[in-house]
Amino acid sequence: MTSAASLGVTLLAEGSIDFNVSGVIDQFWRLTVDGLTYGSIYALVAVGYTLVYGVLRLINFAHSEIFMLGMFGTYVGLELLGFAPSGNVYSQGVGLTVLYLGLAMLFGMLVSGIAAVGLERVAYRPLRKRGAKPLAFLITAIGMSFVIQEFVHYILPKIKPGLGGSNAQTGIRLVEPKVQFSFLGAQVTNVALVIIASAVVLAITTEIVINRTKFGRAIRAVAQDPDTATLMGVSRERVIVLTFLIGGLLAGAAAMLYTLYIPTGIIFSGGFILGIKAFSAAVLGGIGNLRGALLGGLILGVAEQYGQILFGTEWRDVVAFVLLVTVLMFRPTGILGESLGRARA
Amino acid sequence: MTDLTKTPKAPVAQQDRRGIGDAIRAWWDGLSRPAQWAVGVPIIALLALMPLFPPPLLDTPGVSFGGVMAQFAMYALIAIGLNVVVGQAGLLDLGYVGFYAVGAYTVGLLTSPNSPWNQTDGGWLQPGWAWVACLPIAIALTALAGLILGAPTLRLRGDYLAIVTLGFGEIVRLMADNLGDLTNGSLGLSKIAYPTVGESEAHPGGFFSPGNLGDTSSWNPFQRASNGTWWFWLGMVFVIVVLLIIGNLERSRVGRSWVAIREDEDAAEIMGVPTFKFKLWAFVIGASVGGLSGAMYAGQVTYVNPKQFDIILSMLFLCAVVLGGSGNKLGVIVGAFLIAYLPMRLQSVQLVSSESTGYLLLGLDVAMLIGLWLLWRWKKDALATWVRRAVIGVSIVAVIFGLLLFGSVLLFRPGGAQNLGDLKYLYFGIALVVMMILRPQGLFPVRQKLLAYGRQVYQAVVRKPAAESIGAGR
């Protein structure tokens, strides 16, 4: 027994877990920039979870697969545009770069948006018609997530050879990362700039759509009180489809940004961990709350980066989950609380 | 009411039609305790003999049927344990695989030569008794893990609890992966102890060793049994013991509290049920059963690594419970059987040998399905009852056959799926979605019954008026 106890102590003192505090202080700004970049992607995916949860009270576990399909959508789209796997348009001027980036994002959004609406149609609507229990929705979501993954794993390569399958696809690098400027010692690359800027623009757009437009008001109304909203002439079905569509579009955009940042991640199982983390981000900020999802995504992304240096790279995912559990223990409704329904018009 | 609506035939027929499940249930409930044992023991004996003489269609060519049945026994334990948490107490636990892993790793860390905590090599564990001695330790540690996870998180409800447990499951796996000094990281721990029983010249490692393939020419069941069969027998013993314990718990105050919490937590709290305490009980009991199963798993494969305990497995466990019928102990065992058996069965299926034949058959199958569907759509009311049933039956068979054909066609691709077993998750996902749409309560849904003095009251009340109870009370 003594050997066991001493081993435990040595493990903490010198073994796998090092507390590299000085590393965090030295690289603070670099980590922050990296964290914000990752966090923007988490935030965009998290919006999809949070909107669906706000309206349907349903964890859409297959949302991570929507994201994964978006990555493939971006890849196929760029291939259709005639890019070699190493194509770099950055040298050909800013205008062209923006154009191609926009097109790539459009492809991702298109695929993800269609997939999200299709998912709702195939899997969730029949359940809703039967008034199924929440557990049934959850199991269906898990089932659909398996089906989509296996579709990409086994059926997609049959339809189009070279696509999908067991090996990871290397994404097409439209923009070669290049340091643009230094921010308090942190090197900010053009890719990080594109990601953060796109995420901010998309987040603001979504916020405006939800808070200012007629559709947004309908979504909030259904989130607040579905029955009264129906009585007031809001079509619940249309709102639900719209919710899935917005979530899917944002997931597709996030997928494109992710492949821009990490081009090696296009694989059938590539959405899983990211999906769980994005969901954690949504819960962290307060699920059902749009701003909460954005805030949660950014916090999770940054915390993960600090934790990664503090404890070691392999503990990165653990940090994310421990953070989630800790926040939920002290504030079970998340940082900002649930409020999609309570938001003012 | 019946006078006004004037549709006597259909509703009465609907109400009168009792499924075969109901009939069996009523017959079983009508038997006395000794009679139940008299029926149950031969059935159990038959089940135990099954892996020795695998029934022709049920057999799994290519994989040891005994091994599949051993896996089934472990999954059955898991399903029973998870059923306490999900089915009885209504707590959604998506990280149950974490407990399974804790149980397996406890045995692994204490008995594997790869582990610095190995106690069999000059430590306080006798090599011969190591596995048996580790069993209670594994159960106790897993129960502790359940307590540690449950105490802070059980204040959360529903979806939040689901995601926190999911996080916990991932944390356990990542710890096993990252604490490389201790767990040997992703390489895993090998040569884990297993029960050493029946060592002889024919079986140098005993009956339970992975090397025991069984002597198929022998008629002595103990010689004929492979190591998988031995594990299956051991698993059956555990399943029966756990079923008895949990069955008694269910009928006690604890079980009634669980049901109350599941149905309405707030109401239960107001009526004086200490909900937190009983939720924690459910969590700890469920966890320890999972730990027992994990310890068995570690002993059977004598090797653990973090990859074996991913979230997908957790989802599979939950699916076993939901497929079988959440809340129904025997139902979830059937669910566990499906989860363990079907992928292995599919592994050896090869329906067609050439691609063009595959496509042709698939086309025919789809054409037949469309035809049946059109028939159903437009001529449904004109058909006799038996024809309708036949149409439904043939359609179901055609769908399943079509899916298998579809999979077989997909196999004709270099570097692709090797056999239908590779597509198990595809089929599994489709099955889950279809199941949730058509039968969300599971194959064998739970019936609510009186938990205290249930049998006596049931027999006293139901016997006589059973014949005339067609009213609203049914």
Side-chain angles (χ1 to χ4, degrees):
Chain A
M1 283 308 267
T2 49
S3 70
S6 66
L7 246 164
V9 173
T10 47
L11 186 81
L12 281 176
E14 54 165 274
S16 310
I17 309 177
D18 276 334
F19 292 101
N20 184 1
V21 180
S22 62
V24 174
I25 294 167
D26 291 345
Q27 308 177 40
F28 185 77
W29 290 108
R30 183 184 75 78
L31 294 175
T32 311
V33 170
D34 279 359
L36 288 178
T37 317
Y38 265 109
S40 318
I41 294 166
Y42 292 154
L44 286 181
V45 183
V47 170
Y49 283 104
T50 222
L51 277 178
V52 169
Y53 188 87
V55 170
L56 277 179
R57 304 277 133 187
L58 151 73
I59 304 179
N60 180 13
F61 259 105
H63 194 61
S64 51
E65 270 57 54
I66 302 289
F67 170 84
M68 181 267 290
L69 285 178
M71 294 205 284
F72 276 95
T74 310
Y75 181 86
V76 172
L78 286 176
E79 226 178 28
L80 286 179
L81 286 176
F83 271 98
S86 60
N88 187 359
V89 287
Y90 186 60
S91 53
Q92 297 174 29
V94 176
L96 204 61
T97 313
V98 170
L99 175 70
Y100 277 117
L101 284 176
L103 281 174
M105 188 176 276
L106 211 63
F107 276 115
M109 289 170 87
L110 200 68
V111 170
S112 286
I114 292 172
V117 173
L119 173 78
E120 193 274 330
R121 186 80 189 74
V122 172
Y124 297 137
R125 189 171 295 180
L127 284 180
R128 256 201 333 276
K129 275 191 185 151
R130 288 164 175 265
K133 282 194 232 162
L135 188 60
F137 278 96
L138 189 75
I139 301 283
T140 307
I142 295 169
M144 280 315 286
S145 140
F146 281 149
V147 170
I148 297 174
Q149 275 194 24
E150 294 300 283
F151 172 81
V152 175
H153 193 171
Y154 289 116
I155 302 179
L156 199 59
K158 187 81 180 168
I159 299 169
K160 189 176 182 314
L163 202 62
S166 322
N167 300 323
Q169 222 101 35
T170 304
I172 294 166
R173 205 146 214 181
L174 264 183
V175 180
E176 207 56 45
K178 200 169 150 196
V179 177
Q180 291 304 97
F181 59 88
S182 174
F183 169 73
L184 292 170
Q187 316 259 292
V188 182
T189 63
N190 46 9
V191 172
L193 272 182
V194 166
I195 291 172
I196 295 176
S198 317
V200 168
V201 170
L202 285 167
I204 292 173
T205 315
T206 315
E207 181 82 25
I208 290 172
V209 167
I210 301 287
N211 280 336
R212 296 282 152 80
T213 65
K214 207 176 126 197
F215 293 121
R217 193 185 295 163
I219 290 178
R220 279 177 291 133
V222 172
Q224 196 164 19
D225 188 339
D227 295 333
T228 314
T230 313
L231 287 176
M232 294 294 166
V234 178
S235 163
R236 186 152 179 258
E237 294 298 309
R238 267 179 68 188
V239 164
I240 289 169
V241 171
L242 193 71
T243 317
F244 272 87
L245 182 67
I246 295 177
L249 291 177
L250 289 179
M256 178 264 164
L257 296 175
Y258 187 72
T259 46
L260 198 66
Y261 195 39
I262 317 257
T264 50
I266 311 184
I267 188 170
F268 70 98
S269 57
F272 185 71
I273 284 283
L274 195 130
I276 292 184
K277 282 203 204 142
F279 180 71
S280 303
V283 176
L284 197 66
I287 194 160
N289 180 338
L290 207 61
R291 286 173 201 178
L294 300 171
L295 183 69
L298 292 180
I299 290 179
L300 193 75
V302 172
E304 228 179 50
Q305 293 296 322
Y306 296 155
Q308 177 176 342
I309 296 300
L310 193 61
F311 304 110
T313 322
E314 69 271 27
W315 294 100
R316 188 176 142 181
D317 295 348
V318 181
V319 170
F321 292 125
V322 169
L323 179 73
L324 172 75
V325 173
T326 322
V327 169
L328 281 185
M329 254 150 47
F330 293 106
R331 201 170 154 74
T333 48
I335 296 170
L336 293 185
E338 290 185 45
S339 77
L340 184 65
R342 268 174 273 142
R344 299 282 172 275
Chain B
M1 285 299 277
T2 40
D3 294 330
L4 289 172
T5 51
K6 290 209 170 157
T7 47
K9 222 171 183 180
V12 169
Q14 278 282 320
Q15 279 179 344
D16 249 6
R17 211 186 74 205
R18 298 183 62 182
I20 193 154
D22 286 315
I24 293 175
R25 213 186 289 254
W27 168 75
W28 179 256
D29 283 339
L31 293 176
S32 65
R33 271 282 175 216
Q36 284 184 348
W37 278 104
V39 178
V41 169
I43 292 178
I44 291 170
L46 270 180
L47 262 178
L49 284 177
M50 210 161 68
L52 293 181
F53 307 99
L57 272 177
L58 216 60
D59 196 8
T60 50
V63 202
S64 152
F65 189 62
V68 175
M69 292 303 276
Q71 199 183 16
F72 153 56
M74 283 171 220
Y75 281 12
L77 272 177
I78 297 250
I80 295 166
L82 188 58
N83 182 41
V84 169
V85 183
V86 177
Q88 302 285 333
L91 306 165
L92 190 50
D93 186 353
L94 290 181
Y96 196 72
V97 73
F99 300 130
Y100 187 57
V102 168
Y105 261 96
T106 306
V107 179
L109 283 172
L110 288 176
T111 64
S112 165
N114 301 127
S115 151
W117 288 355
N118 174 24
Q119 299 296 335
T120 51
D121 191 18
W124 43 269
L125 276 176
Q126 266 286 323
W129 286 91
W131 186 83
V132 180
C134 283
L135 211 55
I137 303 175
I139 294 172
L141 276 183
T142 328
L144 190 68
L147 197 68
I148 291 171
L149 171 70
T153 55
L154 280 176
R155 287 191 303 141
L156 301 171
R157 294 215 182 152
D159 300 330
Y160 290 111
L161 184 65
I163 192 69
V164 167
T165 48
L166 185 79
F168 170 75
E170 271 298 275
I171 288 173
V172 170
R173 186 182 66 82
L174 289 166
M175 297 262 278
D177 210 349
N178 293 341
L179 290 174
D181 300 348
L182 201 58
T183 60
N184 210 9
S186 55
L187 294 174
L189 302 168
S190 55
K191 294 183 185 153
I192 293 170
Y194 48 85
T196 47
V197 180
E199 282 164 307
S200 64
E201 280 191 23
H203 306 296
F207 291 136
F208 286 93
S209 81
N212 177 14
L213 299 175
D215 179 11
T216 41
S217 60
S218 164
W219 283 91
N220 176 0
F222 297 117
Q223 296 299 325
R224 194 181 168 91
S226 67
N227 74 314
T229 312
W230 280 96
W231 281 105
F232 172 56
W233 288 342
L234 184 66
M236 276 180 87
V237 173
F238 284 140
V239 165
I240 291 167
V241 170
V242 169
L243 270 184
L244 287 176
I245 294 172
I246 288 190
N248 281 333
L249 263 179
E250 254 175 42
R251 286 185 291 273
S252 73
R253 181 168 172 227
V254 183
R256 276 174 281 141
S257 305
W258 285 341
V259 173
I261 293 167
R262 179 184 71 198
E263 295 302 322
D264 189 335
E265 198 174 333
D266 294 319
E269 182 81 55
I270 290 166
M271 298 309 280
V273 176
T275 52
F276 179 74
K277 182 176 138 194
F278 284 117
K279 284 201 287 185
L280 201 55
W281 263 115
F283 227 66
V284 170
I285 290 168
S288 50
V289 177
L292 169 67
S293 181
M296 276 187 71
Y297 175 74
Q300 197 212 348
V301 300
T302 69
Y303 172 68
V304 289
N305 76 354
K307 261 195 188 153
Q308 296 162 341
F309 305 102
D310 57 1
I311 288 292
I312 306 244
L313 194 61
S314 212
M315 306 285 184
L316 281 180
F317 294 160
L318 187 67
C319 294
V321 172
V322 176
L323 276 180
S326 173
N328 182 348
K329 292 190 300 279
L330 294 175
V332 299
I333 293 178
V334 177
F337 177 73
L338 294 178
I339 300 287
Y341 171 77
L342 284 183
M344 295 301 178
R345 184 72 188 88
L346 285 176
Q347 203 129 40
S348 49
V349 174
Q350 176 86 33
L351 282 183
V352 281
S353 53
S354 90
E355 192 166 0
S356 47
T357 328
Y359 277 119
L360 187 71
L361 284 175
L362 190 62
L364 286 175
D365 193 79
V366 170
M368 185 171 83
L369 259 178
I370 293 173
L372 285 173
W373 185 72
L374 290 176
L375 183 75
W376 184 257
R377 186 77 197 267
W378 279 296
K379 291 276 179 232
K380 186 176 152 193
D381 298 329
L383 298 174
T385 319
W386 69 271
V387 182
R388 269 194 242 172
R389 283 192 189 153
V391 168
I392 294 176
V394 172
S395 304
I396 291 172
V397 172
V399 166
I400 293 173
F401 193 64
L403 279 174
L404 292 178
L405 267 176
F406 180 66
S408 301
V409 169
L410 280 184
L411 301 184
F412 296 105
R413 181 174 62 84
Q418 296 305 309
N419 54 49
L420 283 179
D422 277 3
L423 300 173
K424 60 188 173 189
Y425 287 124
L426 181 68
Y427 291 143
F428 184 63
I430 294 171
L432 282 182
V433 175
V434 171
M435 179 91 184
M436 283 304 114
I437 290 171
L438 295 182
R439 202 173 162 87
Q441 70 274 41
L443 290 172
F444 304 97
V446 65
R447 298 288 155 88
Q448 205 49 280
K449 50 190 174 192
L450 289 171
L451 288 164
Y453 304 106
R455 287 166 55 81
Q456 291 91 324
V457 172
Y458 182 83
Q459 278 161 16
V461 174
V462 169
R463 277 285 165 78
K464 279 171 214 164
E468 58 202 58
S469 58
I470 307 177
R474 293 280 301 276

